[in-house]
Amino acid sequence: MRTCFDRSEHLLDVPALRRLWGRLRELPRETPDAMVHGDLIPGNVLVRAGRLAGVLDVGGLRPADPALELVAAWHLLDDRPRSVLRERLICTELDWQRGKAWAFEQSMGAVWYYVDSFPAMSRMGRRTLARILADEA
């Protein structure tokens, strides 16, 4: 994360993001590993008629923190649909916050790394970070 912050100083409000990461990185983990996709970003989900129709890129399916799957809430959904998802999920507040932390970490890497080589991925990271910061406000 240090590298992400250093490389993002000209792209993002790094002081605010560092403060938020200081809280998110301290969240404890209480759940055991489960099989996860781990990369539920816009490019890896198929939607038809406004509904999930499929998931791509399952080659990395592995046991990991189940909160990792909650990145989809932050990468894919604006406030209202994310609130509906949150209401209907069976997960703890801690797991929800850990999902936010995973999305934060993925996004920090995407913003600077892809800024020139894959601008759409960089924009996804910025959009996710904006959603996370708005949620914190």
Side-chain angles (χ1 to χ4, degrees):
M1 288 301 290
R2 189 173 305 131
T3 298
C4 293
F5 290 129
D6 291 346
R7 301 241 174 131
S8 298
E9 289 183 349
H10 65 291
L11 301 168
L12 301 166
D13 182 357
V14 170
L17 293 167
R18 281 183 194 271
R19 285 190 299 276
L20 177 54
W21 180 243
R23 183 184 71 74
L24 293 176
R25 71 184 187 143
E26 297 297 325
L27 293 169
R29 179 165 172 203
E30 297 175 347
T31 54
D33 282 356
M35 293 302 286
V36 300
H37 181 280
D39 197 19
L40 291 174
I41 62 173
N44 288 337
V45 296
L46 300 174
V47 176
R48 182 182 307 134
R51 299 187 61 89
L52 180 65
V55 177
L56 304 173
D57 192 21
V58 294
L61 192 66
R62 68 190 187 287
D65 181 357
L68 188 54
E69 298 296 49
L70 296 172
V71 301
W74 303 97
H75 290 317
L76 298 168
L77 303 173
D78 288 326
D79 184 49
R80 180 67 188 126
R82 192 174 56 251
S83 294
V84 170
L85 176 67
R86 175 66 181 109
E87 289 169 10
R88 295 183 180 171
L89 281 177
I90 300 172
C91 73
T92 66
E93 179 62 22
L94 176 58
D95 285 339
W96 184 253
Q97 291 298 312
R98 288 183 57 75
K100 183 192 296 187
W102 281 113
F104 182 99
E105 182 182 39
Q106 288 178 350
S107 298
M108 282 301 303
V111 170
W112 70 268
Y113 187 82
Y114 292 113
V115 71
D116 295 319
S117 64
F118 193 179
M121 184 73 85
S122 179
R123 285 191 303 274
M124 179 213 66
R126 284 177 185 256
R127 187 174 50 247
T128 298
L129 290 170
R131 288 172 177 156
I132 291 170
L133 287 170
D135 185 69
E136 290 290 312

